[in-house]
């Protein structure tokens, strides 16, 4: 699932340059700005990124939890529901 998350970031980065750094970072304002730039056409990439990230969190154990320690995926899920 971590590989799928990486592919999701790659797809999103093509449409929204700088979005990967913003979503993986710890600055909530930058995450919100990156998501606010998204258009309707970006929803599929955001959805698949969030789905892969959620599965990675759900199936994580040990060191993987350290890799997935932030709440960025929740930001994406909340945006998709609006």
């Amino acid at each position: 699932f971590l590989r799928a998350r990486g592919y999701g970031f790659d797809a999103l980065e093509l449409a929204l340059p700088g979005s990967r750094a913003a979503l993986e970072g710890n600055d909530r304002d930058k995450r919100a700005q990156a998501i606010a730039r998204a258009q309707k056409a970006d929803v599929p990439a955001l959805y698949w990124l969030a789905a892969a990230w959620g599965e990675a969190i759900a199936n994580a154990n040990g060191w993987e939890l350290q890799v997935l320690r932030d709440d960025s995926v929740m930001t994406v899920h909340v945006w998709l529901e609006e």
Side-chain angles (χ1 to χ4, degrees):
F1 296 109
L2 291 176
R3 184 182 303 172
R5 184 184 76 143
Y7 293 148
F9 271 128
D10 292 344
L12 193 59
E13 191 68 25
L14 291 173
L16 301 169
S19 59
R20 181 180 193 131
L23 291 175
E24 286 188 313
N26 292 325
D27 188 334
R28 288 180 183 217
D29 291 333
K30 286 185 180 180
R31 287 195 303 246
Q33 289 170 2
I35 292 171
R37 292 186 302 141
Q39 302 296 314
K40 188 175 183 177
D42 302 319
V43 170
L46 285 165
Y47 171 80
W48 289 111
L49 169 60
W53 208 333
E55 285 296 323
I57 291 170
N59 292 289
N61 59 40
W63 66 271
E64 293 169 334
L65 290 175
Q66 184 65 23
V67 172
L68 300 166
R69 70 186 180 281
D70 60 63
D71 64 345
S72 301
V73 71
M74 294 309 298
T75 303
V76 174
H77 276 298
V78 168
W79 182 83
L80 287 173
E81 290 180 4
E82 291 181 349

